[in-house]
């Protein structure tokens, strides 16, 4: 059985590779658990200097995997029933919080799409490299869902105005547009991505690990902390997934048709 996340160590650096090419590396429960465990281990590993987070086979991450939620889409809870979706979504929020707080530097390497939950992972990075074919979007609202857990991280990374633009419209950004928005640091040709990673690692290796950890801690204190909305976000996502809007939006997406609330082009 393939591992959801492939972890490879080269000296003081680890590469964490999202490993489900068939789904464009969508965030399954197994992948979230594996990433969370890797973060906890890395947090206490004083010999580790940095992490490279990437996806396999021409995709970074297509967002949340709804396979485990299929039975719940558009289905209201029974009276008194505890919603299992809340805990599942909260686990992803836990991952974002621990990933963004790693004491090591975190380099995201984006080749292909980074959508929804994948966009959220990118917002946790210290540095982001992207190929020219990379693309970025938070399409949840167009599917009838709130981008609940990622919203605070998108807001902190991009600022209020740009966060509202991408979270409320689902706009799709090219790599260059994401760079202009401040999400991506460097964009390179598709065939130059590996060389750019190597060059970036050389630059990062000049930084002392203790100084990096101290600097990240200071930067986290300097800026406003990410609002801890994990519980509220999990509730909002669970309610959204069980709504009629989600059922209609996801069905339309599967059929490659406009959602029923989509308005025609303005005259």
């Amino acid at each position: 059985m393939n591992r959801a996340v492939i972890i490879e160590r080269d000296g003081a650096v680890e590469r964490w590779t999202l490993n489900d090419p068939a789904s464009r590396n969508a965030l399954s429960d197994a992948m979230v658990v594996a990433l969370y465990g890797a973060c906890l281990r890395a947090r206490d590993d004083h010999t580790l200097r940095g992490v490279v987070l990437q996806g396999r086979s021409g995709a970074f991450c297509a967002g949340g995997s709804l396979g485990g939620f299929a039975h719940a889409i558009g289905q209201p809870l029974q009276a008194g029933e505890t919603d299992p979706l809340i805990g599942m979504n909260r686990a992803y929020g836990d991952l974002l919080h621990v990933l963004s707080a790693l004491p090591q530097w975190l380099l995201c390497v984006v080749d292909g799409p980074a959508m929804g939950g994948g966009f959220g992972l990118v917002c946790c990075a210290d540095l982001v490299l992207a190929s020219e074919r990379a693309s970025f979007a938070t399409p949840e609202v167009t599917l009838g869902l709130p981008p609940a857990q990622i919203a605070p991280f998108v807001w902190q990374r991009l600022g209020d105005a740009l966060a509202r633009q991408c979270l409320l419209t689902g706009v799709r950004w090219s790599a260059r547009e994401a760079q202009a928005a401040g999400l991506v640091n460097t964009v390179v040709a598709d065939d130059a991505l590996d060389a750019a990673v190597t060059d970036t690692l050389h630059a990062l290796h000049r930084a002392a690990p203790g100084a990096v950890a101290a600097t990240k801690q200071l930067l986290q204190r300097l800026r406003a902390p990410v609002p801890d909305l994990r519980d509220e976000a999990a509730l909002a996502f669970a309610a959204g997934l069980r709504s009629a809007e989600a059922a209609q939006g996801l069905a339309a997406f599967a059929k490659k048709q406009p959602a029923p609330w989509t308005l025609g082009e303005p005259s």
Side-chain angles (χ1 to χ4, degrees), residues 3 18 40 61 73 86 138 141 148-149 172 178 190 203 217:
R3 290 171 290 171
L18 308 182
L40 295 184
C61 176
I73 296 172
I86 295 173
T138 57
V141 292
Q149 294 292 353
R172 190 182 186 105
D190 299 342
Q217 187 175 46

Side-chain angles (χ1 to χ4, degrees), residues 22-259:
S23 72
R24 298 189 301 168
N25 305 317
L27 288 160
S28 64
D29 291 344
M31 191 176 288
V32 169
V33 169
L35 283 173
Y36 184 73
C39 288
L40 295 184
R41 177 184 50 77
R43 185 178 62 186
D44 298 326
D45 185 349
H46 301 296
T47 68
L48 182 65
R49 296 180 60 176
V51 173
V52 178
L53 180 61
Q54 59 191 21
R56 271 196 65 196
S57 302
F60 179 71
C61 176
S65 173
L66 295 178
F69 302 150
H71 68 285
I73 296 172
Q75 299 300 313
L77 283 174
Q78 299 300 315
E81 183 182 359
T82 299
D83 196 339
L85 300 179
I86 295 173
M88 295 167 71
N89 186 255
R90 165 69 192 239
Y92 173 63
D94 292 342
L95 167 60
L96 293 177
H97 277 261
V98 72
L99 185 65
S100 67
L102 283 177
Q104 300 87 0
W105 49 258
L106 174 63
L107 170 64
C108 271
V109 180
V110 182
D111 186 25
M115 303 291 158
F119 193 112
L121 295 179
V122 173
C123 287
C124 295
D126 298 304
L127 293 172
V128 181
L129 296 180
S131 66
E132 289 182 336
R133 67 181 175 184
S135 58
F136 303 82
T138 57
E140 287 90 335
V141 292
T142 68
L143 304 174
L145 293 168
Q149 294 292 353
I150 70 171
F153 295 88
V154 176
W155 174 79
Q156 186 180 69
R157 179 82 178 201
L158 300 180
D160 188 69
L162 284 175
R164 288 174 183 270
Q165 180 188 1
C166 67
L167 293 173
L168 296 177
T169 69
V171 62
R172 190 182 186 105
W173 286 341
S174 68
R176 297 290 179 186
E177 289 168 330
Q179 184 181 33
L183 179 64
V184 171
N185 297 98
T186 304
V187 178
V188 298
D190 299 342
D191 60 1
L193 190 57
D194 289 341
V197 172
T198 299
D199 290 344
T200 304
L201 292 181
H202 284 160
L204 288 167
H205 281 320
R206 293 197 292 268
V212 167
T215 301
K216 288 191 65 172
Q217 187 175 46
L218 288 171
L219 290 173
Q220 287 168 355
R221 293 185 62 186
L222 181 64
R223 66 186 182 183
V226 177
D228 190 350
L229 302 179
R230 281 175 282 183
D231 289 332
E232 295 95 325
L235 288 167
F237 179 82
L241 195 65
R242 292 187 180 280
S243 70
E245 277 191 349
Q248 295 167 349
L250 291 166
F253 176 76
K255 296 176 182 178
K256 298 183 179 180
Q257 297 175 350

